[in-house]
Amino acid sequence: MDSLITIFLPLALAIIMFSLGLGLTLDDFRRVAARPKTFAIGAGAQLILIPAVAYILVLLFRLPPELAVGMMILALCPGGVTANLLTKLAGGEVALSISLTGIISLVAVFSVPVLTAFFASHFMGLDAPAINVTSLGVSMFLITLVPVAIGIAIRKMAEGFALKLDAIVSKLAVVLFVVVVVGALAANWRTFMDNLAVLAPALILLNIILLGAGIFFGRVFGLTLPEAKAISIETGVQNATLGITVGSLIVEQASALPPFSLPSAVYGITMYLVSIPFVFWLRGRRVEAMQ
């Protein structure tokens, strides 16, 4: 279990973020400035709506304090490569999805440590772990933004090679992700079983609400259907590996994944049960302006 935390967990996250970087170009970031309204809707959904919905569900389902913190950590995480792939499968605007993932991942390096400390204190009070916000931020920078930057650099210097490499790296990331999720559940099997009846419905409902929100905002703000699809999936699909990693980083010298990581580990399974059928439903929708 020590190797899961010290090797596979950060390695899986770093490879996932490296894969994200391979799919990014500087033009993806320039599109943000060219389409401020669309990006603002997606960013607002990720930075405000997701934590708000998660907080309400934590209260409604009366999750134990450690699991409540874990669910908020998940809600603070950006979308990931999985969201980009699902957006492509659904016929959404992939460039918008990648732009949102890239920039919100940058914001997360600063927002996640601060808000994780806040929610830990809020739900656990004096029992909250002592969270070194600076140390957590540096750790996130090293295992998220550095791999993304390397991926972007490779894509800029050798685009053809980057695209071929991405196909390999993406598959490797999936394998490592499975190892992390299975290991997390195995290490916390008793806690997982004791809280499954409450935790799984809360996470499934979170997924459903957030996926639906993207389509709703698309109708309200008059976005195109591909834009709404991208925002829907970016809002509804979080980076579970990052959530597991952050949950383990806030516990010093952990020899097993703590309960803080459990919601993200369970979500790593339930999100596919909800997202895949939703994506195929979106795929069948006509591409038209949503007025």
Side-chain angles (χ1 to χ4, degrees), residues 55 58-59 63-66 68-69 72 118-125 128:
Y55 184 80
V58 163
L59 298 181
L63 295 182
E66 290 181 324
V69 175
M72 294 311 302
F118 168 78
F119 284 115
S121 176
H122 176 72
F123 286 112
M124 300 182 68

Side-chain angles (χ1 to χ4, degrees), residues 151-192:
I152 293 174
I154 293 176
R155 173 71 180 266
K156 183 175 178 58
M157 292 185 295
E159 183 171 0
F161 172 74
L163 294 176
K164 293 179 181 178
L165 181 61
D166 188 29
I168 299 173
V169 171
S170 297
K171 293 177 182 178
L172 178 59
V174 170
V175 173
L176 291 174
F177 174 76
V178 171
V179 171
V180 169
V181 171
V182 171
L185 296 180
N188 297 274
W189 188 253
R190 184 180 183 85
T191 303
F192 168 65

Side-chain angles (χ1 to χ4, degrees), residues 39-277:
F39 183 83
I41 294 170
Q46 287 197 300
L47 296 174
I48 300 173
L49 178 64
I50 299 174
V53 173
Y55 184 80
I56 292 171
L57 291 177
V58 163
L59 298 181
L60 288 177
F61 284 87
R62 299 180 179 179
L63 295 182
E66 290 181 324
L67 296 184
V69 175
M71 187 159 173
M72 294 311 302
I73 289 174
L74 173 67
L76 297 173
C77 292
V81 177
T82 300
N84 305 149
L85 294 175
L86 291 178
T87 297
K88 182 177 181 179
L89 182 61
E93 189 163 327
V94 179
L96 174 60
S97 175
I98 292 176
S99 299
L100 281 167
T101 297
I103 293 183
I104 301 302
S105 293
L106 172 61
V107 174
V109 171
F110 304 96
S111 63
V112 170
V114 174
L115 293 177
T116 295
F118 168 78
F119 284 115
S121 176
H122 176 72
F123 286 112
M124 300 182 68
L126 296 176
D127 294 328
I131 299 175
N132 187 324
V133 173
T134 301
S135 176
L136 181 57
V138 170
S139 296
M140 287 186 61
F141 173 80
L142 292 175
I143 59 180
T144 59
L145 291 192
V146 171
V148 168
I150 294 173
I152 293 174
I154 293 176
R155 173 71 180 266
K156 183 175 178 58
M157 292 185 295
E159 183 171 0
F161 172 74
L163 294 176
K164 293 179 181 178
L165 181 61
D166 188 29
I168 299 173
V169 171
S170 297
K171 293 177 182 178
L172 178 59
V174 170
V175 173
L176 291 174
F177 174 76
V178 171
V179 171
V180 169
V181 171
V182 171
L185 296 180
N188 297 274
W189 188 253
R190 184 180 183 85
T191 303
F192 168 65
M193 293 303 295
D194 289 344
N195 294 279
L196 182 62
V198 175
L199 190 55
L203 291 169
I204 290 173
L205 188 55
L206 175 70
N207 211 180
I208 292 172
I209 291 173
L210 295 176
L211 286 170
I215 300 300
F216 173 77
F217 287 134
R219 291 188 181 278
V220 170
F221 293 102
L223 303 182
T224 65
L225 184 54
E227 290 173 336
K229 288 178 178 181
I231 290 176
S232 172
I233 295 173
E234 278 291 320
T235 304
V237 178
Q238 274 64 60
N239 188 337
T241 307
L242 178 57
I244 297 172
T245 304
V246 173
S248 68
L249 287 175
I250 65 177
V251 179
E252 295 183 0
Q253 297 179 341
S255 59
L257 288 176
F260 300 118
S261 297
L262 190 58
S264 294
V266 175
Y267 178 84
I269 297 174
T270 60
M271 73 172 180
Y272 289 107
L273 301 178
V274 176
S275 300
I276 295 300

